[in-house]
Amino acid sequence: MSGPRRVAVLKGGRSMEREVSLRSGANVEAALRRLGHEVIPVDADPSLVRTLRAERPDVVFVAMHGKGGEDGTVQELLEILDIPYTGSGVQACARAMDKVMAKAVFANAGIATPPAFAFGESAFRELGAADALMEIETRLGLPLVVKPAKQGSALGITVAREPNDVPRALMTALSFDDHVLLERFVRGREIAVTVLGTDDPEALPAVEAVLSGDFYDFEARYTPGMTELVAPADLRPELADEVAQTALACYAALGCRGFGRVDMIVDADEQVWVLEINPIPGMTDTSLLPKAATAAGLSFDEVIERVLADASLGG
Ligand SMILES: Nc1ncnc2c1ncn2[C@@H]1O[C@H](COP(=O)(O)OP(=O)(O)O)[C@@H](O)[C@H]1O
Ligand SMILES: [Mg+2]
């Protein structure tokens, strides 16, 4: 503990996940105030740099999600301004936010992710990639999960059940990002592991989201009561250990700091498939991180204090 500090909480921004970030930010601010810190709420906008220069915080707590806040952009600005900030650095954020990039890093580290193909928008426009859809469907099988490479909160993701669904799913994903992934649909249990720490990261107990529909979409995430969250997830000890080790391996492979959350699916054969890592996990009332903290015997405030204590520059 380094005593009370002047903490700017960065939230909002222009991303699709603005509303989610405002809720995460409000919870972070409340926790920081309870912990005795001085809080400067900052809704990220074009005057961000000027605001931070004027306010001169000791440290920034980045509570942003999605483009701009979670992809290394805001982190780069904080590096330039020389203000320590929470969470992962520029490189780790940039690679984590890009699912195509992150999958490649995971594959190199021997971590299983669902087989997928990825394209930039120009491949469709300039190289007729749409004509390869039949091969993609044959190689990966249906259903296919079509998703934007850089997005969160399941925005722009469609499960395409038949060949006819794929083109529209692609258009949807491409309206969110200029790169898209077509990924094999893995049926199984939705498991997420929150990781805390930097030098000696710790995996909190896994949380299972018991879905009422096919996937953990935006509504299922942020409508209180719609999705049952089980924490700790009911996994046999060996499997609980495996998902924890997998999450730590993902975190290390990307060089994450402070905190993060790894989303996975565990199939009927107990194969663990990593979907993605979130460098700034949701901290809303219906988010997984508060549930994981409770299951670990930690209060939300303790988690926030630990993330704050790990704030740094560089890396
Ligand atoms: N390959 C897949 N197989 C089955 N469901 C998937 C797959 N990919 C994504 N999903 C579903 O979509 C949700 C969001 O996908 P994810 O890759 O975690 O992106 P986001 O960044 O939007 O959270 C997952 O929680 C899961 O319910
Ligand atoms: Mg996810």
Side-chain angles (χ1 to χ4, degrees), residues 273-287:
W273 301 94
V274 169
L275 297 181
E276 60 151 356
I277 182 165
N278 301 280
I280 308 183
M283 291 165 282
T284 72
D285 295 341
T286 59
S287 294

Side-chain angles (χ1 to χ4, degrees), residues 52-308:
L52 289 172
R53 268 206 204 108
E55 293 285 358
R56 301 184 145 276
D58 299 324
V59 54
V60 167
F61 197 114
V62 187
M64 295 175 70
H65 307 303
K67 279 180 198 158
E70 200 175 358
D71 64 359
T73 309
V74 129
Q75 290 75 11
E76 188 83 322
L77 286 173
L78 293 165
E79 292 286 344
I80 296 165
L81 296 174
D82 205 27
I83 308 170
Y85 55 94
T86 56
S88 294
V90 176
Q91 294 295 324
C93 282
R95 291 193 296 174
M97 185 73 201
D98 184 335
K99 292 185 171 77
V100 180
M101 195 82 85
K103 279 172 80 86
V105 172
F106 297 152
N108 281 333
I111 300 160
T113 76
F117 293 108
F119 289 107
E121 182 254 341
S122 64
F124 294 100
R125 202 165 18 89
E126 295 168 12
L127 299 172
D131 294 330
L133 286 181
M134 214 174 74
E135 282 83 351
I136 293 173
E137 287 156 19
T138 311
R139 299 269 285 274
L140 299 179
L142 285 163
L144 275 178
V145 184
V146 184
K147 46 178 134 175
K150 298 181 287 295
Q151 192 43 252
S153 287
L155 295 166
I157 300 186
T158 311
V159 179
R161 292 179 192 291
E162 3 172 344
N164 278 341
D165 299 338
V166 178
R168 188 156 17 133
L170 278 169
M171 295 303 290
T172 302
L174 282 168
S175 71
F176 285 81
D177 191 37
D178 57 6
H179 273 74
V180 292
L181 273 103
L182 299 106
E183 192 170 73
R184 177 177 293 164
F185 180 88
V186 179
R187 193 168 295 288
R189 299 168 68 183
E190 185 98 18
I191 300 288
V193 175
T194 299
V195 178
L196 208 52
T198 299
D199 295 331
D200 189 14
E202 172 195 350
L204 301 187
V207 179
E208 175 169 11
V210 184
L211 308 181
S212 36
D214 270 336
F215 77 110
Y216 200 16
D217 63 12
F218 193 85
E219 205 192 347
R221 287 173 201 224
Y222 302 114
T223 310
M226 188 162 161
T227 302
E228 188 197 351
L229 299 180
V230 182
D234 183 14
L235 303 171
R236 56 186 186 82
E238 297 79 6
L239 191 53
D241 192 54
E242 189 184 337
V243 299
Q245 293 310 322
T246 302
L248 290 171
C250 292
Y251 195 82
L254 278 176
C256 290
R257 287 198 316 234
F259 65 165
R261 194 191 76 229
V262 179
D263 293 343
M264 309 172 227
I265 294 185
V266 177
D267 72 16
D269 298 327
E270 297 196 339
Q271 162 80 44
V272 177
W273 301 94
V274 169
L275 297 181
E276 60 151 356
I277 182 165
N278 301 280
I280 308 183
M283 291 165 282
T284 72
D285 295 341
T286 59
S287 294
L288 302 157
L289 177 143
K291 303 288 181 300
T294 307
L298 292 169
S299 68
F300 182 69
D301 294 5
E302 284 172 297
V303 172
I304 296 304
E305 181 64 57
R306 277 168 65 168
V307 174
L308 183 71

